[in-house]
């Protein structure tokens, strides 16, 4: 941290500032935090320590995403000083039915522990689970292909689980550390076959569409063992059919722990059809939602009701809600009706009132309104629902359907 980047003075800015804080009567972590603040580092000691924990491992890998995963002074000219290598706890080779498990693992205050497992021949999905017993713990998971960096995710606090599609992973590393006091954690690294389940549409909440229109599909992909959602998939990993005819995946995203896929409806006559979605893994995972896609010329009036209260500012909840709402806007059909009702303690701001969608400019207007909503205030779901009913009642589109 700091502006002095040349050898042999690299890092001296921080050392100097810590000494300055010592002279001012501060010591320990308090002095380091004050020094980091003077240097505008953008992190405190605890945050820097958590990044240090993962850099300890990733510094010796290739293909790192940025410099925070590396040690600068190991690569500088002059007098580089190698650190390590680390000696992790090894769980051997994992595959489906053969996990690696460590129980009651103790980590001292500001300590770090490393646990690794090699990936066996039958491991379509790699999972890492941390069972929190006590203390201020934090977690990292790193996957790698040989000596090349593949993925990294970070969590902390209570129990935490992550899963990844195996795209050539050869090793998975679990890192657990403690902050202001010691902690105890159970760690499991395992493999599973993926399980796909279509959440929407279904026979009770159908997708209404016609040939060439887009419709939205929400799917959940898990490890099939009651464990975490499988992250890291892309739209190209999925294929879909309606009544056996291919429905092209034209867009999508990972929202609220589900994969939201935008499908283009194939050419079929009006009627009710089955939807099938397949995850093209080895082995493949698939699901069918019977009688869930309805081809009809009838248009629908839709009201999106969005909670923008203060609690939605936590953990990116409002961002997720805005992303989800934008997907719904994208699949509105020409001549559908659309309204957007935001609420907190009251309906505020004034809704994007019900109007007939006549083109992309109307969709863009609705999405711009949604993206501009801030979080704040109390919560009154009733206020939002009452206004939504009013918007439907005031509609002038003459559409026969509503949702």
């Amino acid at each position: 941290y700091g502006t002095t980047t040349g050898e042999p003075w690299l890092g001296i800015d921080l050392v100097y500032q810590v000494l300055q804080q010592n002279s001012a009567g501060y010591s320990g972590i308090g002095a380091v935090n004050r020094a980091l603040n003077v240097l505008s580092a953008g992190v405190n000691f605890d945050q820097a320590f958590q990044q240090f924990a993962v850099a300890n491992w990733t510094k010796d890998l290739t293909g790192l995403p940025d410099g925070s995963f590396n040690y600068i002074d190991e690569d500088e000219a002059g007098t580089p000083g190698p650190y390590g290598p680390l000696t992790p706890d090894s769980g051997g080779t994992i595959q489906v039915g053969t996990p690696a498990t460590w129980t009651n693992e103790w980590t001292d205050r500001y300590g770090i522990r490393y646990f690794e497992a090699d990936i066996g021949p039958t491991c379509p999905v790699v999972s890492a689970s941390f069972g929190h017993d006590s203390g201020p713990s934090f977690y990292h998971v790193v996957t790698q292909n040989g000596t090349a960096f593949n993925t990294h995710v970070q969590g902390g606090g209570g129990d935490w689980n992550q899963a990844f599609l195996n795209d050539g992973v050869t090793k998975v590393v679990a890192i657990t550390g403690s902050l202001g006091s010691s902690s105890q954690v159970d760690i499991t690294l395992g493999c599973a076959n993926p399980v796909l389940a279509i959440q929407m549409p279904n026979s009770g909440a159908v997708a209404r569409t016609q040939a060439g229109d887009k419709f939205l599909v929400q799917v959940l992909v898990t490890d099939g063992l009651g464990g975490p959602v499988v992250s890291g998939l892309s739209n190209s990993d999925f294929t879909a059919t309606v009544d056996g005819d291919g429905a092209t995946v034209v867009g999508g995203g990972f929202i609220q722990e589900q994969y939201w896929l935008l499908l283009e409806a194939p050419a079929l006559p009006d009627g009710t059809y089955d939807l099938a979605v397949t995850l093209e893994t080895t082995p493949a995972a698939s699901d069918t939602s019977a009688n869930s896609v309805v081809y009809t010329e009838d248009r629908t009036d839709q009201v999106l009701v969005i909670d923008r209260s203060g609690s939605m500012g936590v953990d990116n909840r409002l961002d997720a809600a805005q992303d989800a709402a934008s997907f719904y806007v994208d699949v509105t059909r020409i001549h559908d009706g659309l309204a957007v009702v935001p609420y907190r303690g009251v309906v505020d701001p004034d809704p994007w009132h019900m109007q007939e969608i006549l083109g992309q400019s109307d969709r863009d207007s609705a999405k711009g309104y949604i993206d501009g909503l801030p979080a704040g205030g109390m919560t009154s779901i009733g206020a939002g629902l009452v206004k939504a009913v009013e918007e439907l009642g005031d509609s002038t589109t003459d559409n026969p359907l509503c949702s």
Side-chain angles (χ1 to χ4, degrees):
Y1 302 104
T3 58
T4 302
T5 56
E7 292 283 11
W9 306 281
L10 181 65
I12 199 66
D13 301 45
L14 179 61
V15 175
Y16 173 77
Q17 285 298 336
V18 171
L19 289 174
Q20 291 289 95
Q21 299 306 320
N22 291 158
S23 298
Y26 299 95
S27 62
I29 292 173
V32 175
N33 280 334
R34 292 179 66 88
L36 289 169
N37 185 60
V38 169
L39 294 172
S40 300
V43 296
N44 59 28
F45 177 80
D46 282 6
Q47 293 166 328
F49 181 75
Q50 291 178 66
Q51 188 58 44
F52 165 78
V54 70
N56 273 344
W57 184 268
T58 57
K59 67 184 179 62
D60 295 322
L61 303 180
T62 61
L64 300 178
D66 60 60
S68 68
F69 292 85
N70 194 25
Y71 280 6
I72 296 175
D73 53 343
E74 282 197 346
D75 301 326
E76 288 285 303
T79 56
Y83 178 89
L86 298 170
T87 304
D89 289 272
S90 176
T93 299
I94 59 174
Q95 55 189 345
V96 174
T98 310
T101 301
W102 297 266
T103 58
N104 301 326
E105 294 295 334
W106 189 262
T107 305
D108 291 331
R109 177 178 183 263
Y110 290 109
I112 311 168
R113 301 282 304 278
Y114 297 84
F115 305 85
E116 69 169 6
D118 295 323
I119 307 301
T122 57
C123 191
V125 170
V126 183
S127 66
S129 298
F130 298 83
H132 178 255
D133 296 330
S134 63
S137 56
F138 65 86
Y139 319 120
H140 296 277
V141 179
V142 175
T143 64
Q144 58 192 74
N145 304 333
T147 59
F149 176 95
N150 187 47
T151 57
H152 164 255
V153 288
Q154 179 176 355
D159 295 346
W160 188 66
N161 306 291
Q162 289 289 303
F164 314 87
L165 192 67
N166 185 350
D167 56 355
V169 171
T170 61
K171 185 186 293 290
V172 57
V173 180
I175 304 168
T176 180
S178 286
L179 296 175
S181 62
S182 59
S183 65
Q184 183 173 290
V185 176
D186 304 323
I187 304 103
T188 299
L189 301 175
C191 301
N193 293 316
V195 174
L196 182 150
I198 299 173
Q199 306 297 294
M200 293 278 283
N202 53 56
S203 59
V206 301
R208 294 184 176 90
T209 191
Q210 283 189 304
D213 286 340
K214 300 186 190 78
F215 66 97
L216 181 64
V217 176
Q218 296 165 234
V219 298
L220 182 67
V221 182
T222 68
D223 66 0
L225 302 174
V229 170
V230 177
S231 62
L233 303 178
S234 66
N235 298 336
S236 61
D237 292 319
F238 297 90
T239 59
T241 63
V242 178
D243 195 40
D245 288 357
T248 304
V249 180
V250 296
F254 187 62
I255 298 176
Q256 297 172 332
E257 299 294 289
Q258 296 179 359
Y259 291 94
W260 290 38
L261 307 175
L262 288 177
L263 304 187
E264 184 174 312
L268 291 169
D270 284 1
T272 301
Y273 302 102
D274 296 348
L275 168 70
V277 178
T278 299
L279 175 61
E280 299 293 346
T281 53
T282 303
S286 62
D287 190 25
T288 298
S289 183
N291 302 319
S292 62
V293 180
V294 175
Y295 277 58
T296 177
E297 291 186 359
D298 291 341
R299 293 307 195 250
T300 304
D301 284 348
Q302 305 176 65
V303 183
L304 300 177
V305 182
I306 301 176
D307 178 359
R308 71 164 198 90
S309 60
S311 63
M312 294 295 286
V314 178
D315 296 330
N316 299 315
R317 294 174 189 171
L318 183 57
D319 290 341
Q322 289 167 320
D323 288 343
S326 291
F327 270 103
Y328 277 107
V329 172
D330 281 334
V331 298
T332 53
R333 298 192 286 169
I334 299 299
H335 304 305
D336 275 349
L338 178 67
V340 183
V341 175
Y343 69 90
R344 48 190 185 107
V346 294
V347 173
D348 177 53
D350 197 46
W352 196 85
H353 292 294
M354 179 68 70
Q355 66 182 71
E356 185 177 354
I357 299 299
L358 299 176
Q360 187 58 42
S361 62
D362 294 326
R363 297 189 186 99
D364 290 342
S365 174
K367 290 196 289 185
Y369 174 90
I370 291 166
D371 289 343
L373 295 174
M378 304 297 287
T379 306
S380 175
I381 297 173
L385 295 177
V386 167
K387 190 61 179 178
V389 172
E390 289 180 9
E391 290 289 330
L392 290 171
D394 293 341
S395 174
T396 60
T397 65
D398 295 325
N399 289 330
L401 304 171
C402 66
S403 68

